[in-house]
Amino acid sequence: MKETKWWQNTAVYQIYPKSFNDTTGSGTGDLRGITEKLDYLKELGAGALWLTPVYPSPMVDNGYDISDYTGINPAFGTLSDMEELIAEAKQRDIRIVMDLVYNHSSDQHPWFIESKSSRTNPKHDWYIWRDGKEDGSAPTNWRGIFGGSAWTYCPERGQYYLHTFAEAQPDLNWENPEVRAALFAAANFWLDKGVGGFRIDAITYIKKPAVFVDGTPDGADGMVSIHAMTVNTPGILDFLHEFRREVFDRHDIFTVGEANGVSVSELSDWVGENGVFSMLFEFSHVLVQYEDEECWSKMVPWKLTKLKQALSASQASVAREGWYPIYFENHDRARSVNYFFPHGGDTRLAAKALATVLLTLRGTPFIYEGEELGMTNVCWESIDDYDDISSHGQYELALKEGFSPAEAMRFVHFNSRDNARTPMQWDDTAHAGFTTGTPWLKAGKSYPEINVENEIQGPIFTFYQKLIALRKELPIIAEGSYRPVYEDSQQVYAFERQLGDERLLVLNNFYPDPITIDILPEYQNGEVLLSNYEETQTAEVVTLRPYESLAIIVNKH
Ligand code: NOJ
């Protein structure tokens, strides 16, 4: 067994700073707000905090449009607030992890302002510029991920620039070594400040094909998704190995790449000794309800077996080499109790069932703010209540496809990224105790009941605490091998973990109806390590109650 790295048995907690805790009454969360809550996070058991981008930004995409890679957005505080956060966290043995958004910058970044000013300026090829077609239209028929053409015309240059995401997020030209050097220098700047790692945004898009051609249209707009045309282009790993050499290898940090488009079978080229990152966020298990994630009207019915297969395939892919970041929520997804349990029932029990899976699979668990309280989706009536750029794009797309406004809103309710971006619910006072001002996004209606003050002694938070502590105590949970069991069950997700002769069986009923199962013989007299119900025991035959999770251990060391 290789030596365990610090981040392999650490629980990472993701913070969306804009919505976490506002100390100034501005309506926007800030860095001091995070520092103020470090004791809460320590009590939960978090060992690292991933902050979504806190750099200067026009906030067209809530910080994923960066205008200065080595600064702090004044709305969040100052560089010295960041230094204080890093130092205070360190005192509590918590590391701060930053988000690197290197596929694109903001169109307000000085690099882009210079690049667009002429075809001859020193940064003229820091972004991806192309002439239009003969008729003056965009160079290709590619659709950006947030909708509309992926090209925007720039009159100063008489050319188009490429943007995988919004118009305000021009793609950087990684072919240019000066661009790569500037990006690596910015990452090293933060490492020198003591950050403990990076989450690297949209990294599978940085390499573009050598020749840009039209794709076969996949929608009524005559365009094709840019994802299909540019994701994971051969040659990308050369850039990433350079990134590893110039930045990651120099420090005891972890890196997690956001890698939509890397298949499970390719994971070993991306993670582990011969790969690039410590871990990779792949999307297979969170996309189980989509035929096409870029089109929210194309949802497919929920099937537990699809989720099981996706999780088992990812576990298998990093069994020998590499490591897996386990997650069910982040700032881009709806709340997990709604997404993974669409058949209703007691969402509080469901939250604990999902916590069991999150914290007993092999890998490093990532908990998103509010997940530890069982926060739920918001269902606002009007699209105007939503801030998220992709929710607006998807609403318009659904109308164009002929859906009624009510149907379009149904897609937004289920999928909107704002479901996860509402203010963190601290107590039952106005705006969930998040701000004394007017919050940038309304608090969810559930806050009078679901809030930290109520929950800190409550069943979900304390269950998270217990599981996080257990992971540290029992190496079998973080490191043991994984084997799916009861694979055909449509109702139960179960797996076995093993380390030496120690074995752990984890059973999770994903439905609000009870189910009776025969327990594997070796576990019939085992010890109940964990359950989300009181009074649980093992036997030859066990009836799992609604959303019941049960973990049985044998030969415990
Ligand atoms: C992925 C980020 O998680 C998302 O929030 C953002 O909109 C896109 N990348 C573009 O940076």
Side-chain angles (χ1 to χ4, degrees):
M1 182 93 211
K2 285 186 206 145
E3 191 199 333
T4 308
K5 309 246 174 47
W6 67 269
W7 42 267
Q8 290 182 298
N9 56 15
T10 291
V12 183
Y13 187 93
Q14 184 191 346
I15 293 188
Y16 199 66
K18 199 174 177 187
S19 300
F20 193 63
N21 183 28
D22 172 18
T23 58
T24 65
S26 66
T28 292
D30 46 58
L31 294 176
R32 289 188 169 187
I34 302 172
T35 308
E36 196 175 272
K37 299 293 184 185
L38 283 172
D39 289 334
Y40 167 74
L41 298 164
K42 181 73 188 166
E43 200 169 334
L44 177 65
L49 308 177
W50 154 28
L51 314 187
T52 55
V54 290
Y55 314 89
S57 161
M59 300 300 260
V60 171
D61 186 21
N62 280 345
Y64 283 92
D65 45 323
I66 295 172
S67 54
D68 174 2
Y69 285 104
T70 53
I72 292 291
N73 187 336
F76 293 140
T78 61
L79 195 55
S80 74
D81 291 340
M82 186 68 186
E83 287 163 348
E84 189 189 357
L85 172 59
I86 294 170
E88 285 291 321
K90 192 171 172 205
Q91 296 245 320
R92 293 163 177 83
D93 202 18
I94 296 177
R95 308 195 201 198
I96 301 296
V97 172
M98 292 187 85
D99 210 317
L100 297 181
V101 187
Y102 278 4
N103 173 67
H104 47 270
S105 73
S106 159
D107 62 352
Q108 300 307 308
H109 195 296
W111 297 343
F112 186 73
I113 293 174
E114 186 174 341
S115 187
K116 76 171 195 182
S117 66
S118 70
R119 294 189 189 203
T120 51
N121 70 75
K123 295 205 168 38
H124 70 97
D125 64 346
W126 277 45
Y127 292 83
I128 315 251
W129 295 99
R130 291 287 185 279
D131 293 331
K133 287 183 178 156
E134 263 174 29
D135 64 359
S137 62
T140 64
N141 68 342
W142 302 350
R143 183 193 314 107
I145 287 179
F146 293 152
S149 173
W151 296 98
T152 292
Y153 185 70
C154 170
E156 291 97 318
R157 288 183 57 138
Q159 280 184 312
Y160 288 82
Y161 67 88
L162 185 69
H163 47 90
T164 300
F165 295 91
E167 184 178 327
Q169 294 167 299
D171 281 27
L172 285 152
N173 179 14
W174 273 69
E175 301 294 338
N176 182 334
E178 287 175 24
V179 171
R180 302 200 299 276
L183 295 173
F184 300 159
N188 281 321
F189 170 88
W190 292 108
L191 288 172
D192 291 343
K193 297 253 169 250
V195 307
F198 296 117
R199 178 264 189 188
I200 299 123
D201 186 71
I203 198 66
T204 43
Y205 299 110
I206 58 170
K207 175 91 183 172
K208 311 297 189 253
V211 188
F212 288 13
V213 291
D214 279 350
T216 313
D218 62 12
D221 56 6
M223 291 194 254
V224 59
S225 162
I226 189 170
H227 175 87
M229 304 306 289
T230 64
V231 77
N232 199 358
T233 295
I236 190 170
L237 287 164
D238 296 338
F239 288 156
L240 294 176
H241 279 288
E242 185 182 336
F243 200 170
R244 174 179 168 169
R245 272 194 316 275
E246 297 298 321
V247 182
F248 310 154
D249 277 352
R250 300 182 170 183
H251 300 263
D252 180 21
I253 59 168
F254 77 77
T255 55
V256 53
E258 188 206 27
N260 192 6
V262 173
S263 68
V264 162
S265 59
E266 293 167 299
L267 274 181
S268 57
D269 290 337
W270 288 72
V271 292
E273 284 302 304
N274 302 319
V276 180
F277 300 114
S278 324
M279 299 175 265
L280 212 62
F281 284 133
E282 54 91 26
F283 285 42
S284 56
H285 66 294
V286 292
L287 297 185
V288 288
Q289 288 202 68
Y290 295 101
E291 185 185 311
D292 174 1
E293 195 202 6
E294 287 172 39
C295 194
W296 289 354
S297 59
K298 292 189 191 154
M299 303 281 301
V300 293
W302 164 254
K303 246 182 149 190
L304 178 63
T305 42
K306 272 179 86 177
L307 174 69
K308 290 167 45 161
Q309 280 156 9
L311 289 171
S312 293
S314 329
Q315 291 280 304
S317 70
V318 287
R320 283 167 186 279
E321 187 59 74
W323 195 247
Y324 192 71
I326 317 151
Y327 74 98
F328 292 115
E329 287 191 17
N330 62 36
H331 62 291
D332 290 334
R333 316 233 67 92
R335 288 291 180 178
S336 55
V337 285
N338 299 99
Y339 186 82
F340 293 101
F341 304 92
H343 24 260
D346 183 344
T347 56
R348 304 187 56 72
L349 271 175
K352 287 166 75 178
L354 205 60
T356 306
V357 180
L358 179 68
L359 292 147
T360 59
L361 281 174
R362 181 170 180 273
T364 295
F366 282 69
I367 302 161
Y368 180 72
E369 65 182 43
E371 193 175 2
E372 78 281 16
L373 310 176
M375 277 175 66
T376 51
N377 277 355
V378 291
C379 273
W380 292 321
E381 269 163 41
S382 161
I383 187 67
D384 298 332
D385 290 327
Y386 288 82
D387 169 87
D388 169 29
I389 189 169
S390 76
S391 300
H392 285 268
Q394 290 287 341
Y395 179 79
E396 293 304 324
L397 188 66
L399 295 183
K400 255 189 222 144
E401 285 173 335
F403 290 98
S404 69
E407 285 166 322
M409 279 315 290
R410 207 162 44 80
F411 304 137
V412 171
H413 289 160
F414 191 73
N415 297 290
S416 176
R417 305 193 296 181
D418 281 347
N419 284 312
R421 296 178 179 189
T422 56
M424 176 68 176
Q425 298 177 183
W426 295 105
D427 58 38
D428 64 2
T429 63
H431 313 305
F434 158 70
T435 179
T436 53
T438 307
W440 72 276
L441 189 67
K442 283 195 287 190
K445 289 183 201 134
S446 66
Y447 80 82
E449 292 84 44
I450 304 179
N451 61 61
V452 170
E453 202 173 80
N454 277 351
E455 301 290 337
I456 198 141
Q457 307 287 349
I460 305 177
F461 183 88
T462 51
F463 196 63
Y464 267 89
Q465 270 180 321
K466 185 173 165 185
L467 275 159
I468 294 170
L470 215 51
R471 284 181 69 84
K472 290 200 187 122
E473 213 177 284
L474 302 179
I476 187 174
I477 301 184
E479 295 162 28
S481 65
Y482 167 94
R483 185 174 78 92
V485 287
Y486 306 98
E487 279 178 278
D488 295 334
S489 172
Q490 310 273 350
Q491 188 169 337
V492 175
Y493 176 33
F495 47 87
E496 211 186 3
R497 309 291 313 279
Q498 187 171 356
L499 192 64
D501 64 346
E502 199 174 20
R503 297 173 82 161
L504 177 71
L505 175 68
V506 184
L507 301 160
N508 305 280
N509 178 5
F510 262 69
Y511 278 78
D513 315 300
I515 181 164
T516 299
I517 54 169
D518 295 332
I519 296 292
L520 300 172
E522 58 271 42
Y523 293 98
Q524 289 172 0
N525 298 312
E527 176 192 337
V528 172
L529 182 70
L530 189 84
S531 163
N532 57 353
Y533 276 78
E534 280 166 25
E535 294 186 22
T536 308
Q537 52 195 23
T538 177
E540 280 173 34
V541 176
V542 164
T543 298
L544 292 174
R545 288 160 280 186
Y547 296 131
E548 179 161 6
S549 290
L550 175 62
I552 305 166
I553 194 160
V554 288
N555 300 331
K556 185 169 168 228
H557 293 291

